[in-house]
Amino acid sequence: MASANAEPTSAYLEHRDLLIGIAYRLLGRVADAEDVVQDAWLRWTKVRQDEVENPRAFLVRITSNLALDRLRRIKARRETYVGEWLPEPLLTAPDAAERVELVESISVAMLVVMETLSPLERAVFVLNEAFGISYPELADILGRSQAAIRQIAHRARRHVEERRPRFDRDAATRGLVTERFLAAATSGDVKSLLQVLAPDVTLVADGGGLVRAPLRPVSGVDKVVRFLVAVQARESFPAETFQLITVNGGPGIVVGAPDSVPSILILDVGDGVVQTIYLVSNPNKLTGLHAQPAR
């Protein structure tokens, strides 16, 4: 005899990747996203399946509202975070065949921009822009009128457009620039570093107060180069401690010396050069380094 939960389990598993994608884009942390989706699953198992016409829409609604509630709670905690707060890096498959909108919406640069939105604005922006959920559906999901949703969407879109980072959509270009940066940084080649970095490049580090990291962004190519050269001179990382990975839909670099806390460097590449360097070294955000890549 088939299990009574066979049908709800099948529907949930079919849409789980979508639900994780929504929750991660809203929360910026893998663990938070997984907790929300687990809670959504528990609620899903308690409803009468024959009364649900569209399991996908139902699961998206549950997940979105659970993530929105959690986002409202954790926004206050982030205000007291030590240093700069960056999203948790998400390993992604190198061959992930996603739309450009999905790749950009999962980039660290875009997640940082979305941190400046209100929780409701972020939910509307993510669900509409990244996943194409219509205004009528959003009104149903979020319990607002269509007119209100349109206003929120317009406000969020304008806010993001004003702050949207320059983004090279060609994956090959981003990969090549990352490789050039890695070669220059590990060799201490200042001239090559200057060529691969934008004049107004910024380095943003997140140590969470747990490891040594700049508490404020380092701005300007001269300051960033001095910082990178000083770190390499101090730590003397051998070449084998650096590994190219695919993270948040683009190339990244893991720095993992045997006797040190690993870090991840993620480069925001635009106009063929590095615009922003994101350095995540908070150990609480690096527990998923060996997880199965998301697609």
Side-chain angles (χ1 to χ4, degrees), residues 11-75:
Y12 166 78
L13 292 176
E14 179 183 354
H15 302 299
R16 187 178 185 279
D17 286 350
L18 167 66
L19 304 180
I20 288 288
I22 291 172
Y24 175 76
R25 285 167 174 83
L26 289 178
L27 297 167
R29 287 211 59 186
V30 177
D32 286 336
E34 291 177 341
D35 286 347
V36 161
V37 173
Q38 179 64 23
D39 288 345
W41 154 249
L42 293 175
R43 296 196 182 193
W44 170 241
T45 60
K46 295 177 182 178
V47 303
R48 290 180 58 90
Q49 306 302 309
D50 55 358
E51 296 179 354
V52 179
E53 294 184 7
N54 188 332
R56 180 183 184 275
F58 187 89
L59 286 165
V60 167
R61 182 169 67 250
I62 295 174
T63 300
S64 300
N65 280 289
L66 287 171
L68 186 55
D69 289 343
R70 180 170 291 219
L71 180 59
R72 287 173 175 140
R73 295 196 303 270
I74 64 180
K75 284 282 280 188

